[in-house]
Amino acid sequence: MAQRPLSDEELIDKYGPHLNEAPPGGWDAGIDPDRTVKTHCCFCGQQCGIKLKVKDNEVVGFEPWYEFPFNEGKLCPKGVKRYLQGSHPDRLLDPLERDPSSPDGFRQVSWDRALDRVVAEIQRIQAEHGPDAFAMLSGVSLTNEKSYLVGKFARLGLGTANLDYNGRFCMVSAGVGNKKALGVDRAPNPWSDIPLADVVWVAGSNIAETFPITTSYVWRARDRGAKLIVQDPRVVPMARTADLFLPVRPGTDSALFGAVLHELIRHDWLDHEFIDAHTVGFDEAAAAVADMTPAWAGSICGLPAARIEEAAEWWGTAATGMLLHARGIEQHSKGVDNVLAAINLGLATGKFGKPGCGVSTITGQGNGQGGREQGHKCDQLPGNRDITNPEHRAAVAKVWGCEESEIPGKGLSAEEIIEAIHDGKIKGLLSICFNPLVSAPDSNFTKEALDKLEFYSVIDFFLSESAQHADVVLPGSLHEEDEGTSTSGEGRVIKINAATAPPGDARLDWQILIDIAERLGRGKYFPYRSTKEIFAEMCEASSGGTADYTGVTWERVEDEMGMFWPVPEVGHPGTPRLFEGGKFFHPDGKARFHPIPFRESAEVVDDDYPIWLTTGRVVSQYLSGTQTRRIGALVRQYPEPLCEMHPRLAESLGIADGDLVTVTSRRGDITLPAHVVATIRPDTVFIPYHWPGVKAANQLTNRALDPLSRMPEFKVAAVRIEKADGRRDTSDDRDLDLHDGRA
Ligand SMILES: Nc1nc2c(c(=O)[nH]1)N[C@H]1C(S)=C(S)[C@@H](COP(=O)(O)OP(=O)(O)OC[C@H]3O[C@@H](n4cnc5c(=O)[nH]c(N)nc54)[C@H](O)[C@@H]3O)O[C@H]1N2
Ligand SMILES: Nc1nc2c(c(=O)[nH]1)N[C@H]1C(S)=C(S)[C@@H](COP(=O)(O)OP(=O)(O)OC[C@H]3O[C@@H](n4cnc5c(=O)[nH]c(N)nc54)[C@H](O)[C@@H]3O)O[C@H]1N2
Ligand code: SF4
Ligand SMILES: [Mo]
């Protein structure tokens, strides 16, 4: 297909003149709203409650929602500015079709034309190459209802096995680890347990920047005298106040956790009663760490053995403790191993199913928890069921009113779909709520893949960098334009309320999918007239699964300000804390230890690429940045990616703060300003990944996947660094022609 994506320069230029700003005098100055709508933030998995102010079908500001128990009115910088995206001039208002003769590569077309084209291409590709040659990628900024619908749409509408979602780049290693060890994939605790912990151990999460509201829960534990351990190659803001800081070399967490288990066993800081009554496999796990001494782990992780011993003593002797982990230990080719090694520490000391006790992932994306339950993962059916299990298939087929044989089998995972496109095996793609060109590893490879597609259609509300490669772009709905439910990182099902209607000719995401299904002749499976009808079927389909929503109702969710699943029957109170009484979700009720030998990351440093690279986030930007790079105050806070490096490393390379440096890996290179800071290991550099094109950190990252979770190794790559010509041009920040509401 003829492609004319914007050039990198055009892409980056695009974000200069289009930054939305708060009105002069502050966010609510002089605005007399028609109404306020209680809903939740569209960004991270904390899902803070917020009240949106609405005037003339536009969100014009917000008010804190003090009564919502999780955040009690608090919001982070993104939550405060989120309302500015709806009125953004880049908002897609009409379907677009690729037109190489048009200056920006697209022309507006009618819905009929756009949908007919999408359907004709699906039918052509599937007729020529088989049903699985057309794939779908989805995302978990979508509500539960939309996630459920996408799962059913791909299987019964498109009839393809190849559907996966962007949580594959996010929480899947935790999901696989949780299911293997605990039999269920949910945070074990409500966050109100954090203040009850005597030790809070944060492994691979920059909580202050990525889960700002969780900070206040950790502070409440600290106020009670809790000890704080932080494990991160960088002295992240929370580490500055930690009692114990473990600056691990990237990719070595399982060695550290192994040595801690070794110490727990050596000192007999074990809960034998709990191990005997509620777990299986302790001996094998113990045998695997027999030689993992703190001295050995210290040499692998690059930190003093004494600190590992201290961590073990604090964790082993504390009555209560919570270990919170996020992508820092999960986004590895051994992410599942890291998660299982962390869970071993909780099981060995009986820290599950009790107040203030748990080993928990901190879910990242807005609906990262709910979206990973409703069946749009390549191996999953609703209720977090297994698509390869005949009983699970039969249960879902019954609700869907189809033959079990009509439900395709397990498909490829997200990165494998991109690879199959690159290989020419997958020819067509429909994506909703996913921007792989920025967020997938090895972006040069991803770009080649997208350009090989015979047909690509995107449902989004902005022309994302991936959408710039599409043949047809369908304008979908913003978070505040639709209603439904979402499930926060705590496992709390909450209600999202519509504040406005989609502007122009934009449509609700779910209606677009149903339109396509109808045109494919599959309308009988999609008879919904409202999101509430989708919700009702979703709950029915979840019934009997581990993620059981049977008794969840919109009314109760609103009245009770959230309900924690499982809610296995109508009238059930919900389950804020899992595993009480030592009851785990495996059929025998017991949790599983796992033996975790240490193995290195897929790529290690050598003479040519001697420095470790890790990637992640900054507080003011969100994911691939399509939303937050359009909001002035957030862009000014951190306008472009910087390469964080230690003064010793900088000095050895002749680099000063602000100098441009070129960072090169086996897959690509990026030139960006150096940010010389003493808060990072001298053998490691960090680059945030929220920018596209020549500013994309993912030009460098490795496509190596975890063998079980199929998570790419975003957190470890080997690079070399050279000084480039020039210094940071800070005039950039001042020269932006801001669209600030004053013009
Ligand atoms: N501001 C902001 N907040 C967000 C998001 C966002 O884009 N912006 N995204 C949301 C989403 S979807 C997610 S998934 C979460 C992510 O939340 P986090 O996981 O907290 O964020 P990251 O910055 O990806 O990585 C966390 C930390 O891992 C460290 N790290 C890197 N390699 C290693 C390692 O090998 N071991 C250890 N122990 N640590 C390592 C990094 O130095 C970094 O400080 O944030 C959510 N919240
Ligand atoms: N190097 C590196 N890469 C990473 C990571 C890292 O730490 N390092 N982290 C990974 C992680 S944890 C994540 S979660 C991924 C995220 O990667 P992506 O999922 O690609 O990131 P998003 O920015 O959420 O992209 C979602 C797209 O969906 C659109 N969108 C948002 N909400 C809706 C909606 O309700 N409806 C529709 N139709 N569209 C919507 C947005 O405009 C955007 O274009 O990135 C991953 N990539
Ligand atoms: S912490 Fe997360 S949910 Fe809360 S306001 Fe910030 S981005 Fe939104
Ligand atoms: Mo994520």
Side-chain angles (χ1 to χ4, degrees):
M1 288 286 118
Q3 302 280 1
R4 192 197 168 274
L6 295 185
S7 72
D8 291 334
E9 289 68 32
E10 285 171 315
L11 258 175
I12 288 156
D13 280 353
K14 208 171 150 47
Y15 291 101
H18 293 295
L19 294 172
N20 260 11
E21 300 286 337
W27 48 268
D28 63 351
I31 293 172
D32 184 16
D34 303 332
R35 60 202 161 93
T36 60
V37 177
K38 282 183 196 160
T39 185
H40 294 268
C41 177
C42 56
F43 294 133
C44 89
Q46 317 251 316
Q47 292 290 284
C48 295
I50 188 170
K51 291 191 204 169
L52 296 180
K53 291 184 173 183
V54 185
K55 190 168 178 65
D56 304 333
N57 196 38
E58 199 177 313
V59 177
V60 291
F62 72 97
E63 263 174 25
W65 178 8
Y66 293 110
E67 299 77 24
F68 188 73
F70 175 76
N71 61 312
E72 296 173 322
K74 293 187 274 295
L75 296 164
C76 84
K78 294 179 300 304
V80 166
K81 299 293 179 200
R82 61 156 277 182
Y83 73 92
L84 288 166
Q85 48 175 336
S87 56
H88 197 283
D90 287 350
R91 178 66 207 273
L92 296 176
L93 303 174
D94 300 280
L96 301 175
E97 192 172 36
R98 173 156 306 287
D99 176 4
S101 65
S102 147
D104 62 0
F106 290 98
R107 66 165 169 267
Q108 288 177 10
V109 291
S110 70
W111 272 102
D112 270 340
R113 186 185 161 100
L115 292 172
D116 283 347
R117 171 96 193 277
V118 170
V119 166
E121 291 286 354
I122 293 168
Q123 288 170 332
R124 179 187 66 76
I125 287 171
Q126 292 190 321
E128 286 174 18
H129 307 284
D132 296 340
F134 200 96
M136 186 161 182
L137 288 171
S138 176
V140 287
S141 292
L142 299 178
T143 55
N144 287 322
E145 290 77 1
K146 291 194 236 178
S147 301
Y148 170 80
L149 181 69
V150 168
K152 186 174 176 186
F153 170 85
R155 273 65 174 254
L156 293 188
L158 299 175
T160 182
N162 289 325
L163 159 71
D164 204 32
Y165 83 131
N166 63 3
R168 189 66 57 190
F169 295 169
C170 188
M171 291 99 23
V172 275
S173 293
V176 170
N178 287 340
K179 275 181 101 168
K180 276 172 80 75
L182 313 170
V184 66
D185 176 23
R186 201 208 91 179
N189 306 76
W191 260 212
S192 54
D193 266 356
I194 297 174
L196 307 177
D198 293 340
V199 176
V200 178
W201 185 337
V202 178
S205 182
N206 180 7
I207 286 186
E209 295 201 61
T210 55
F211 303 107
I213 304 307
T214 293
T215 314
S216 74
Y217 285 84
V218 177
W219 286 171
R220 276 180 250 169
R222 302 280 275 152
D223 289 346
R224 273 188 52 254
K227 291 198 159 109
L228 175 64
I229 305 175
V230 174
Q231 173 178 338
D232 198 301
R234 300 187 301 145
V235 191
V236 285
M238 190 166 269
R240 290 171 204 162
T241 69
D243 301 286
L244 181 60
F245 176 50
L246 305 169
V248 280
R249 191 251 284 173
T252 63
D253 299 272
S254 60
L256 190 151
F257 291 138
V260 171
L261 183 60
H262 175 100
E263 285 295 282
L264 296 177
I265 295 168
R266 192 165 74 86
H267 292 279
D268 198 18
W269 290 319
L270 300 170
D271 185 337
H272 292 282
E273 237 171 83
F274 183 91
I275 294 172
D276 292 346
H278 304 302
T279 72
V280 174
F282 174 76
D283 292 342
E284 291 78 2
V289 299
D291 297 329
M292 291 192 176
T293 61
W296 168 83
S299 70
I300 303 243
C301 305
L303 45 89
R307 291 206 207 164
I308 301 176
E309 289 164 10
E310 204 165 9
E313 182 173 355
W314 291 4
W315 183 257
T317 58
T320 57
M322 286 190 57
L323 194 162
L324 302 170
H325 56 82
R327 308 308 84 78
I329 74 160
E330 298 166 19
Q331 288 172 327
H332 294 268
S333 61
K334 53 168 180 285
V336 175
D337 275 4
N338 288 342
V339 169
L340 290 171
I343 292 175
N344 281 348
L345 304 184
L347 295 176
T349 55
K351 288 191 175 62
F352 273 107
K354 301 167 195 161
C357 287
V359 175
S360 178
T361 188
I362 316 180
T363 285
Q365 295 153 292
N367 191 26
Q369 178 65 59
R372 69 189 202 251
E373 301 155 8
Q374 319 298 353
H376 60 156
K377 294 167 74 166
C378 63
D379 51 357
Q380 189 204 50
L381 289 171
N384 211 343
R385 286 188 171 87
D386 178 357
I387 202 163
T388 62
N389 178 318
E391 279 170 38
H392 292 193
R393 294 170 62 84
V396 172
K398 197 163 159 233
V399 178
W400 286 357
C402 66
E403 294 298 320
E404 190 233 288
S405 57
E406 275 183 85
I407 302 178
K410 179 175 166 179
L412 296 173
S413 68
E415 188 55 33
E416 292 167 312
I417 287 178
I418 295 171
E419 288 178 359
I421 294 170
H422 201 277
D423 281 354
K425 291 182 188 134
I426 290 179
K427 310 278 187 190
L429 178 67
L430 171 63
S431 73
I432 178 168
C433 198
F434 201 159
N435 188 11
L437 193 51
V438 180
S439 58
D442 194 354
S443 35
N444 295 322
F445 180 89
T446 311
K447 195 171 179 181
E448 285 170 17
L450 292 184
D451 286 341
K452 285 185 180 178
L453 281 166
E454 288 183 11
F455 180 75
Y456 180 25
S457 181
V458 169
I459 306 175
D460 207 312
F461 41 73
F462 288 132
L463 194 65
S464 72
E465 291 72 23
S466 302
Q468 312 233 359
H469 290 251
D471 299 286
V472 173
V473 181
L474 303 171
S477 46
L478 263 181
H479 196 260
E480 54 261 44
E481 290 161 7
D482 200 357
E483 63 179 346
T485 58
S486 160
T487 306
S488 78
E490 298 180 285
R492 188 199 297 259
V493 185
I494 50 174
K495 181 76 200 309
I496 308 301
N497 286 314
T500 58
D505 248 354
R507 289 190 182 171
L508 296 177
D509 290 332
W510 64 271
Q511 287 173 341
I512 299 172
L513 293 175
I514 289 174
D515 274 350
I516 298 174
E518 278 170 357
R519 282 165 201 255
L520 285 166
R522 310 291 286 172
K524 70 172 173 171
Y525 291 119
F526 304 91
Y528 321 106
R529 283 155 305 171
S530 67
T531 326
K532 201 166 188 176
E533 290 183 2
I534 305 175
F535 171 79
E537 189 185 288
M538 178 193 95
C539 293
E540 192 189 343
S542 80
S543 201
T546 48
D548 196 326
Y549 282 54
T550 307
V552 180
T553 65
W554 280 9
E555 293 70 25
R556 277 190 66 195
V557 166
E558 297 241 49
D559 290 351
E560 298 169 30
M561 293 203 234
M563 292 181 75
F564 290 83
W565 70 260
V567 190
E569 63 220 35
V570 177
H572 186 282
T575 317
R577 185 181 301 115
L578 301 179
F579 317 133
E580 284 188 303
K583 284 199 215 73
F584 293 90
F585 281 57
H586 286 298
D588 61 4
K590 294 188 179 186
R592 306 287 189 266
F593 278 96
H594 287 85
I596 307 294
F598 176 71
R599 65 187 155 92
E600 273 292 0
S601 303
E603 182 172 78
V604 293
V605 293
D606 57 19
D607 289 347
D608 294 333
Y609 300 95
I611 299 160
W612 300 100
L613 165 77
T614 193
T615 61
R617 301 162 158 72
V618 295
V619 66
S620 51
Q621 287 296 314
Y622 189 65
L623 300 182
S624 71
T626 44
Q627 296 166 270
T628 44
R629 277 186 281 112
R630 290 184 155 88
I631 299 178
L634 298 179
V635 170
R636 278 196 302 280
Q637 206 170 326
Y638 198 111
E640 60 176 334
L642 304 174
C643 179
E644 272 184 30
M645 64 172 78
H646 192 274
R648 283 218 294 280
L649 176 62
E651 197 188 352
S652 74
L653 298 168
I655 291 164
D657 186 48
D659 283 350
L660 291 186
V661 295
T662 300
V663 184
T664 309
S665 79
R666 287 189 175 79
R667 291 148 300 272
D669 61 78
I670 178 175
T671 298
L672 74 180
H675 186 35
V676 179
V677 286
T679 51
I680 185 165
R681 289 176 60 94
D683 57 2
T684 302
V685 295
F686 172 88
I687 305 178
Y689 89 100
H690 312 284
W691 291 267
V694 294
K695 296 193 179 185
N698 274 324
Q699 295 174 99
L700 304 174
T701 49
N702 191 353
R703 281 184 283 121
L705 301 183
D706 182 290
L708 297 175
S709 68
R710 317 312 279 165
M711 160 69 80
E713 190 135 73
F714 291 118
K715 290 294 189 260
V716 188
V719 295
R720 67 165 179 268
I721 301 182
E722 287 129 331
K723 191 168 179 313
D725 290 338
R727 289 185 44 77
R728 181 183 182 197
D729 181 7
T730 43
S731 62
D732 253 353
D733 309 18
R734 289 190 299 272
D735 282 349
L736 297 173
D737 172 17
L738 299 175
H739 170 87
D740 63 1
R742 274 169 283 216

